[in-house]
Structure formats: structure tokens, C-alpha cells
Amino acid sequence: MPEAKILLVDDEQSILDLVTAYLRPEGYEVYTATDGPAALKAARAFRPDLIVLDIMLPGIDGVEVLTRLRRESPVYVILLTARAEETDKIVGLSVGADDYLTKPFSPRELVARIKAALRRLRQGP
């Protein structure tokens, strides 16, 4: 049985492939989406335990995806984006992101953040 279900959302296939290659050996069930509408559809269909979400997406940007997700789900969301300005981070966190990581990034650090988040979620309040 998988340790957790994770949805990766990024329009760069190389990033999806890289992060998936790090997560699957850890026992995670990984789903991917490459645009905003597909991200919303996947989040509703697969009900992931955690979402790694890019901001700059085709169709619907990641901030809007996150805003819509927050209306229907408390799922843990890590924004993974090239947008590194302080104002971008503040906007992302204020609309409901739980964590924010900028590109370029360390896949090992991302996996460590995911593990920490899932550990906290399982422990409860």
C-alpha cells in the first residue's frame, strides 16, 4: 500500500520526471498534471494527501488553482516555482500554500519537506 498520494503539477515534463524519480522509490503514489485545469481535475479525482504546485501554468495559473482548491479541500500544498520575489511568496502563502520552494531546487530537499509535512499531517493537532 502506498505511503501517500502526491499530485505534482508543473508544465515542465523534466521537473515532473525528476521529482517522480525521487518520490516513487520512497513509496509514494505519484500523479501528475501539466496545466491548471488538469490539476483541478486530478485533485478532485485522486484526492492526494499533498500537492506540489507550480505557479506559472497554462490554462489557469497556480495561484488560481490554489484559490479554487482551498474552497473545497484542506490538502497540504507546496508551491514549487521560479517566482522568487518576496511579494510572490507572500501572495502564495496568503492564498493558502503551506510551504514555498523556489526553482532551481534540490529534489532531496523537496522530498524531505514532503516527508515532514506528511509526518505532521499524520500526527494530527
Side-chain angles (χ1 to χ4, degrees):
M1 182 163 160
E3 186 170 322
K5 293 189 292 186
I6 298 173
L7 173 59
L8 303 176
V9 184
D10 202 297
D11 59 338
E12 293 181 53
Q13 189 63 47
S14 60
I15 290 179
L16 295 176
D17 293 344
L18 174 67
V19 177
T20 298
Y22 274 83
L23 291 174
R24 285 212 170 116
E26 297 289 335
Y28 298 115
E29 189 174 341
V30 180
Y31 300 93
T32 62
T34 57
D35 61 43
L40 290 169
K41 184 177 179 180
R44 291 173 182 138
F46 302 123
R47 300 216 176 268
D49 299 297
L50 185 142
I51 298 173
V52 178
L53 178 64
D54 188 11
I55 290 179
M56 295 180 284
L57 295 171
I60 303 170
D61 73 28
V63 171
E64 181 61 25
V65 169
L66 180 56
T67 301
R68 293 182 190 187
L69 281 172
R70 283 294 170 245
R71 292 185 198 135
E72 54 195 72
S73 172
V75 66
Y76 196 97
V77 176
I78 299 174
L79 289 178
L80 177 64
T81 180
R83 301 191 67 156
E85 296 296 319
E86 179 184 37
T87 54
D88 295 318
K89 294 176 185 178
I90 291 168
V91 168
L93 294 167
S94 69
V95 297
D98 298 290
D99 199 356
Y100 197 106
L101 189 60
T102 57
K103 298 175 185 175
F105 67 101
S106 159
R108 292 184 306 178
E109 179 184 355
L110 177 59
V111 171
R113 287 174 184 248
I114 288 169
K115 285 181 176 180
L118 292 169
R119 189 172 49 247
R120 284 192 304 274
L121 291 170
R122 287 193 178 107
Q123 290 173 352

